[in-house]
Amino acid sequence: MTPTGAIDLQQLRALLQFHLQAGTDGLCILGTTGEAAVMTMAERKAVLDVAVEEVKGKIPILVGTGTIDPEHVKEQTLQAIDCGCDASLVVTPYYVKPPQRALIKHFETMADLGLPVCIYNVPGRTGVDFLPENIAQVAGHPNIVAVKEATGDVSRVAQIQDACEKNGFKRDELLLLSGDDGTTDEFVIQGGHGCISVTANVAPSAMHQLMMAALKKDIDEVKRINAPLANLHQDEFIEANPIPIKWAVKRIGQIDCSYLRPPLDELAPEFQGTVESALRDAGLI
């Protein structure tokens, strides 16, 4: 964003190149936690068009298309298809607390649109938890390919895999991606496949290396890589995400402005020193 709240497409291009050069394995564009909820469809298209122009075919483009209203989810998913994106990240409809049967129907309906779907389960924000046994019920849909599991409970890896197996699917039928940086290393060591990371906004190379070590179950290497990032994993949530991480991206010099559209706000001055210290511990400044 510019200081007036306009979309800064030039800086977006630079950020995309930053991730391309850093070895980022996948991009999550217009994520649910960011400012996508306060962007128009025209603004979303402009962002997606730039992402496709810059990195299509080089890095997979996952687009956040989830919201409360299923018709709006459809609209955003169809836009992502039209723009040439690779997959959609669909959060459980938040605040309204759908029952499990409704969540099953919701994700199957969105997957029927034709774009591969990554289910996003983050009950701390949405107020509803899509349980492993019900996630397994949709695992057989050819377009439901992954789960972003952001409960912070690493036992969910085995629970989802056990439920898939019980339903007649392979244990690794779904890609399991951690959505909680503080437990991502253990999540992958326990059998997960990767992460959708907040920390990777400022430390993409380190997070890539961390995931590679965790996939190899190289515990010593995981500890070595993760130790400098530990404070960052924690302090990037000192205020509501994405407030601190956007300030951090500015602090490392990747963007010029940390403005966020209302109802969010820039990082409060009293917290900036804490985030700066975490960046310093991580060797990023």
Side-chain angles (χ1 to χ4, degrees):
M1 298 288 180
T2 69
T4 61
I7 307 294
D8 191 334
L9 295 177
Q10 183 177 350
Q11 291 225 311
L12 173 61
R13 290 184 189 277
L15 274 177
L16 291 167
Q17 289 302 317
F18 166 62
H19 283 283
L20 189 62
Q21 293 163 18
T24 295
D25 299 286
L27 289 170
C28 183
I29 306 289
L30 301 175
T32 314
T33 309
E35 292 166 278
V38 290
M39 290 170 58
T40 66
M41 290 297 290
E43 287 174 329
R44 290 177 62 92
K45 183 180 186 303
V47 167
L48 296 182
D49 284 345
V50 166
V52 168
E53 289 169 14
E54 293 290 331
V55 302
K56 175 73 174 179
K58 302 172 185 176
I59 308 177
I61 302 170
L62 175 68
V63 184
T65 65
T67 184
I68 297 177
D69 182 358
E71 291 304 314
H72 197 197
V73 181
K74 289 179 184 179
E75 181 185 19
Q76 293 186 157
T77 302
L78 291 171
Q79 181 189 62
I81 292 171
D82 290 343
C83 289
C85 300
D86 299 303
S88 59
L89 178 68
V90 181
V91 71
T92 55
Y94 40 86
Y95 190 77
V96 293
K97 298 184 179 180
Q100 297 292 303
R101 66 183 182 279
L103 292 174
I104 290 170
K105 182 179 179 180
H106 180 71
F107 286 107
E108 289 179 337
T109 299
M110 299 313 152
D112 285 344
L113 296 173
L115 193 64
V117 170
C118 176
I119 295 167
Y120 182 13
N121 189 44
V122 58
R125 281 184 175 267
T126 63
V128 63
D129 187 0
F130 197 17
L131 299 175
E133 59 266 30
N134 296 310
I135 290 175
Q137 289 192 47
V138 302
H141 194 295
N143 288 327
I144 294 180
V145 299
V147 180
K148 178 184 177 184
E149 176 55 63
T151 59
D153 178 3
V154 297
S155 71
R156 284 293 176 100
V157 175
Q159 291 175 36
I160 294 171
Q161 292 175 338
D162 289 347
C164 284
E165 194 170 46
K166 185 177 179 180
N167 277 268
F169 305 119
K170 296 180 294 183
R171 288 185 65 79
D172 61 351
E173 188 74 26
L174 297 170
L175 290 173
L176 301 183
L177 307 173
S178 169
D180 178 65
D181 282 302
T183 57
T184 281
D185 55 341
E186 187 62 25
F187 184 97
V188 175
I189 289 168
Q190 292 296 324
H193 303 97
C195 66
I196 296 176
S197 169
V198 177
T199 302
N201 282 282
V202 289
S205 180
M207 288 303 296
H208 166 79
Q209 293 169 26
L210 179 64
M211 290 297 92
M212 295 303 104
L215 286 166
K216 294 175 185 175
K217 295 183 171 41
D218 186 340
I219 307 300
D220 289 340
E221 184 69 355
V222 165
K223 290 179 178 178
R224 184 192 70 79
I225 297 168
N226 206 34
L229 302 174
N231 287 337
L232 187 56
H233 293 329
Q234 174 179 313
D235 294 335
E236 64 198 14
F237 296 99
I238 197 168
E239 284 197 303
N241 182 40
I243 293 172
I245 199 65
K246 193 165 190 180
W247 185 89
V249 175
K250 176 188 174 185
R251 180 63 184 85
I252 67 169
Q254 291 299 325
I255 57 175
D256 297 330
C257 173
S258 58
Y259 174 89
L260 289 103
R261 287 183 177 178
L264 297 176
D265 196 5
E266 294 187 66
L267 184 65
E270 60 264 33
F271 297 129
Q272 292 176 7
T274 301
V275 177
E276 179 156 337
S277 179
L279 290 171
R280 203 173 301 280
D281 291 343
L284 297 170
I285 55 174

